[in-house]
Amino acid sequence: MSNQQQIKSALFALCEAYVQQRIINARQAMEDAQEAANSESKSSAGDKYETGRAMAQLERDRNAQLLAEAQKLGQELARLNIEKKYDTAQSGSMVITNRGSFFISMSAGKLTVDGRDYFAISAASPIAGALAGRKAGDETTFNKITYQVLEVY
């Protein structure tokens, strides 16, 4: 396995961990909200009880949405072919530019492997759109900044 492939595999593993942490956090928050709703006791002010339960239900629903989004990220990640050596920037590829290194996978922000920073970006992101289809030696402009593509793998 090449060093490039090892880096891509490490970034993929970091993305998987990111998704798993988001799933765990959303599930825990849902459980906490449900517990809060269940423990809300009837008081002499009945409206307070109903308001508390409604607020807890809204919080649970919001966290259910976050859970669904995290699971969708996991599905997107599972569809990537990180074993393939890419010639052009696309989903699953690593793009090294003069202004940073990008792993076109999912939006997970800055990830560090072997002391070097990489940005995990979604294929739907504007920067990925600017890089799409580019190969080593190409240039593209994004936000009035020119990016020189040094390497794609």
Side-chain angles (χ1 to χ4, degrees):
M1 182 184 296
S2 72
N3 188 44
Q4 296 168 333
Q5 193 59 43
Q6 289 173 331
I7 291 169
K8 200 189 298 188
S9 294
L11 289 167
F12 185 81
L14 288 171
C15 287
E16 284 181 317
Y18 174 84
V19 168
Q20 286 307 313
Q21 193 57 55
R22 284 189 56 174
I23 289 171
I24 289 166
N25 292 346
R27 282 191 176 135
Q28 185 60 52
M30 282 175 61
E31 289 172 16
D32 293 348
Q34 188 64 52
E35 198 173 293
N38 293 345
S39 67
E40 192 70 43
S41 60
K42 276 259 191 216
S43 65
S44 55
D47 286 348
K48 178 181 176 279
Y49 166 76
E50 290 303 322
T51 301
R53 283 189 62 85
M55 294 287 286
Q57 184 60 42
L58 285 173
E59 184 67 12
R60 187 192 174 289
D61 291 348
R62 187 180 71 79
N63 287 302
Q65 179 67 30
L66 292 174
L67 175 62
E69 288 170 13
Q71 289 170 329
K72 185 178 177 217
L73 280 177
Q75 291 167 351
E76 287 175 22
L77 200 57
R79 283 194 290 267
L80 294 180
N81 180 0
I82 63 162
E83 303 298 320
K84 181 178 176 188
K85 162 94 172 74
Y86 294 91
D87 294 324
T88 60
Q90 57 189 286
S91 287
S93 67
M94 282 288 314
V95 183
I96 310 302
T97 74
N98 63 324
R99 300 204 172 261
S101 301
F102 302 93
F103 178 39
I104 304 176
S105 54
M106 59 173 267
S107 181
K110 184 169 77 170
L111 303 173
T112 304
V113 174
D114 294 336
R116 184 167 176 188
D117 293 336
Y118 299 85
F119 294 92
I121 59 173
S122 165
S125 69
I127 183 69
L131 292 169
R134 302 291 189 275
K135 57 185 180 295
D138 289 350
E139 285 188 359
T140 188
T141 303
F142 175 71
N143 279 350
K144 300 178 184 171
I145 297 171
T146 299
Y147 289 78
Q148 295 173 326
V149 178
L150 306 174
E151 193 176 354
V152 177
Y153 57 91

PDB file of all heavy atoms in Angstrom, residues 128-143:
ATOM      1  N   ALA A 128     -15.259  21.825  -3.647  1.00  0.00           N
ATOM      2  CA  ALA A 128     -15.184  20.556  -4.387  1.00  0.00           C
ATOM      3  C   ALA A 128     -15.691  20.754  -5.812  1.00  0.00           C
ATOM      4  O   ALA A 128     -15.145  20.176  -6.757  1.00  0.00           O
ATOM      5  CB  ALA A 128     -15.976  19.475  -3.677  1.00  0.00           C
ATOM      6  N   GLY A 129     -16.712  21.594  -5.959  1.00  0.00           N
ATOM      7  CA  GLY A 129     -17.227  21.898  -7.297  1.00  0.00           C
ATOM      8  C   GLY A 129     -16.171  22.577  -8.159  1.00  0.00           C
ATOM      9  O   GLY A 129     -16.032  22.283  -9.349  1.00  0.00           O
ATOM     10  N   ALA A 130     -15.406  23.475  -7.536  1.00  0.00           N
ATOM     11  CA  ALA A 130     -14.341  24.172  -8.269  1.00  0.00           C
ATOM     12  C   ALA A 130     -13.213  23.216  -8.651  1.00  0.00           C
ATOM     13  O   ALA A 130     -12.579  23.376  -9.692  1.00  0.00           O
ATOM     14  CB  ALA A 130     -13.801  25.326  -7.427  1.00  0.00           C
ATOM     15  N   LEU A 131     -12.966  22.220  -7.804  1.00  0.00           N
ATOM     16  CA  LEU A 131     -11.889  21.261  -8.067  1.00  0.00           C
ATOM     17  C   LEU A 131     -12.320  20.107  -8.976  1.00  0.00           C
ATOM     18  O   LEU A 131     -11.472  19.458  -9.584  1.00  0.00           O
ATOM     19  CB  LEU A 131     -11.376  20.685  -6.742  1.00  0.00           C
ATOM     20  CG  LEU A 131     -10.636  21.649  -5.813  1.00  0.00           C
ATOM     21  CD1 LEU A 131     -10.435  21.014  -4.442  1.00  0.00           C
ATOM     22  CD2 LEU A 131      -9.310  22.077  -6.421  1.00  0.00           C
ATOM     23  N   ALA A 132     -13.617  19.855  -9.064  1.00  0.00           N
ATOM     24  CA  ALA A 132     -14.140  18.692  -9.794  1.00  0.00           C
ATOM     25  C   ALA A 132     -13.583  18.599 -11.207  1.00  0.00           C
ATOM     26  O   ALA A 132     -13.559  19.570 -11.955  1.00  0.00           O
ATOM     27  CB  ALA A 132     -15.662  18.738  -9.838  1.00  0.00           C
ATOM     28  N   GLY A 133     -13.108  17.409 -11.529  1.00  0.00           N
ATOM     29  CA  GLY A 133     -12.602  17.133 -12.865  1.00  0.00           C
ATOM     30  C   GLY A 133     -11.189  17.627 -13.121  1.00  0.00           C
ATOM     31  O   GLY A 133     -10.614  17.349 -14.176  1.00  0.00           O
ATOM     32  N   ARG A 134     -10.602  18.329 -12.176  1.00  0.00           N
ATOM     33  CA  ARG A 134      -9.246  18.847 -12.344  1.00  0.00           C
ATOM     34  C   ARG A 134      -8.236  17.726 -12.101  1.00  0.00           C
ATOM     35  O   ARG A 134      -8.477  16.820 -11.320  1.00  0.00           O
ATOM     36  CB  ARG A 134      -8.962  20.004 -11.375  1.00  0.00           C
ATOM     37  CG  ARG A 134      -9.893  21.195 -11.474  1.00  0.00           C
ATOM     38  CD  ARG A 134      -9.692  21.954 -12.783  1.00  0.00           C
ATOM     39  NE  ARG A 134     -10.410  23.218 -12.833  1.00  0.00           N
ATOM     40  CZ  ARG A 134     -11.670  23.367 -13.197  1.00  0.00           C
ATOM     41  NH1 ARG A 134     -12.382  22.320 -13.515  1.00  0.00           N
ATOM     42  NH2 ARG A 134     -12.227  24.557 -13.240  1.00  0.00           N
ATOM     43  N   LYS A 135      -7.107  17.841 -12.787  1.00  0.00           N
ATOM     44  CA  LYS A 135      -6.035  16.868 -12.580  1.00  0.00           C
ATOM     45  C   LYS A 135      -4.749  17.615 -12.265  1.00  0.00           C
ATOM     46  O   LYS A 135      -4.703  18.847 -12.347  1.00  0.00           O
ATOM     47  CB  LYS A 135      -5.897  15.959 -13.800  1.00  0.00           C
ATOM     48  CG  LYS A 135      -5.649  16.653 -15.105  1.00  0.00           C
ATOM     49  CD  LYS A 135      -5.659  15.627 -16.234  1.00  0.00           C
ATOM     50  CE  LYS A 135      -5.411  16.232 -17.581  1.00  0.00           C
ATOM     51  NZ  LYS A 135      -6.407  17.145 -18.091  1.00  0.00           N
ATOM     52  N   ALA A 136      -3.714  16.864 -11.889  1.00  0.00           N
ATOM     53  CA  ALA A 136      -2.423  17.472 -11.552  1.00  0.00           C
ATOM     54  C   ALA A 136      -1.988  18.407 -12.678  1.00  0.00           C
ATOM     55  O   ALA A 136      -2.060  18.048 -13.857  1.00  0.00           O
ATOM     56  CB  ALA A 136      -1.378  16.396 -11.303  1.00  0.00           C
ATOM     57  N   GLY A 137      -1.585  19.616 -12.305  1.00  0.00           N
ATOM     58  CA  GLY A 137      -1.152  20.599 -13.281  1.00  0.00           C
ATOM     59  C   GLY A 137      -2.224  21.618 -13.622  1.00  0.00           C
ATOM     60  O   GLY A 137      -1.928  22.691 -14.148  1.00  0.00           O
ATOM     61  N   ASP A 138      -3.477  21.302 -13.318  1.00  0.00           N
ATOM     62  CA  ASP A 138      -4.581  22.222 -13.607  1.00  0.00           C
ATOM     63  C   ASP A 138      -4.650  23.323 -12.555  1.00  0.00           C
ATOM     64  O   ASP A 138      -4.134  23.181 -11.442  1.00  0.00           O
ATOM     65  CB  ASP A 138      -5.925  21.486 -13.620  1.00  0.00           C
ATOM     66  CG  ASP A 138      -6.105  20.578 -14.824  1.00  0.00           C
ATOM     67  OD1 ASP A 138      -5.269  20.648 -15.753  1.00  0.00           O
ATOM     68  OD2 ASP A 138      -7.084  19.805 -14.832  1.00  0.00           O
ATOM     69  N   GLU A 139      -5.316  24.408 -12.928  1.00  0.00           N
ATOM     70  CA  GLU A 139      -5.601  25.494 -11.998  1.00  0.00           C
ATOM     71  C   GLU A 139      -7.091  25.735 -11.984  1.00  0.00           C
ATOM     72  O   GLU A 139      -7.776  25.500 -12.976  1.00  0.00           O
ATOM     73  CB  GLU A 139      -4.893  26.787 -12.436  1.00  0.00           C
ATOM     74  CG  GLU A 139      -3.424  26.814 -12.170  1.00  0.00           C
ATOM     75  CD  GLU A 139      -2.811  28.194 -12.436  1.00  0.00           C
ATOM     76  OE1 GLU A 139      -3.537  29.121 -12.839  1.00  0.00           O
ATOM     77  OE2 GLU A 139      -1.593  28.322 -12.237  1.00  0.00           O
ATOM     78  N   THR A 140      -7.580  26.229 -10.858  1.00  0.00           N
ATOM     79  CA  THR A 140      -8.983  26.616 -10.746  1.00  0.00           C
ATOM     80  C   THR A 140      -9.047  27.804  -9.802  1.00  0.00           C
ATOM     81  O   THR A 140      -8.142  28.010  -8.987  1.00  0.00           O
ATOM     82  CB  THR A 140      -9.866  25.453 -10.254  1.00  0.00           C
ATOM     83  OG1 THR A 140     -11.239  25.834 -10.355  1.00  0.00           O
ATOM     84  CG2 THR A 140      -9.554  25.059  -8.820  1.00  0.00           C
ATOM     85  N   THR A 141     -10.095  28.574  -9.922  1.00  0.00           N
ATOM     86  CA  THR A 141     -10.269  29.731  -9.051  1.00  0.00           C
ATOM     87  C   THR A 141     -11.525  29.534  -8.215  1.00  0.00           C
ATOM     88  O   THR A 141     -12.574  29.148  -8.729  1.00  0.00           O
ATOM     89  CB  THR A 141     -10.380  31.031  -9.881  1.00  0.00           C
ATOM     90  OG1 THR A 141      -9.208  31.140 -10.687  1.00  0.00           O
ATOM     91  CG2 THR A 141     -10.508  32.244  -8.993  1.00  0.00           C
ATOM     92  N   PHE A 142     -11.368  29.797  -6.935  1.00  0.00           N
ATOM     93  CA  PHE A 142     -12.488  29.715  -6.001  1.00  0.00           C
ATOM     94  C   PHE A 142     -12.374  30.903  -5.054  1.00  0.00           C
ATOM     95  O   PHE A 142     -11.309  31.127  -4.475  1.00  0.00           O
ATOM     96  CB  PHE A 142     -12.452  28.377  -5.227  1.00  0.00           C
ATOM     97  CG  PHE A 142     -13.506  28.279  -4.181  1.00  0.00           C
ATOM     98  CD1 PHE A 142     -14.842  28.134  -4.525  1.00  0.00           C
ATOM     99  CD2 PHE A 142     -13.182  28.345  -2.836  1.00  0.00           C
ATOM    100  CE1 PHE A 142     -15.817  28.060  -3.563  1.00  0.00           C
ATOM    101  CE2 PHE A 142     -14.151  28.262  -1.857  1.00  0.00           C
ATOM    102  CZ  PHE A 142     -15.482  28.124  -2.219  1.00  0.00           C
ATOM    103  N   ASN A 143     -13.456  31.665  -4.922  1.00  0.00           N
ATOM    104  CA  ASN A 143     -13.451  32.869  -4.079  1.00  0.00           C
ATOM    105  C   ASN A 143     -12.288  33.800  -4.420  1.00  0.00           C
ATOM    106  O   ASN A 143     -11.594  34.299  -3.537  1.00  0.00           O
ATOM    107  CB  ASN A 143     -13.414  32.510  -2.584  1.00  0.00           C
ATOM    108  CG  ASN A 143     -14.775  32.142  -2.050  1.00  0.00           C
ATOM    109  OD1 ASN A 143     -15.796  32.315  -2.722  1.00  0.00           O
ATOM    110  ND2 ASN A 143     -14.803  31.623  -0.841  1.00  0.00           N
TER     111      ASN A 143
END
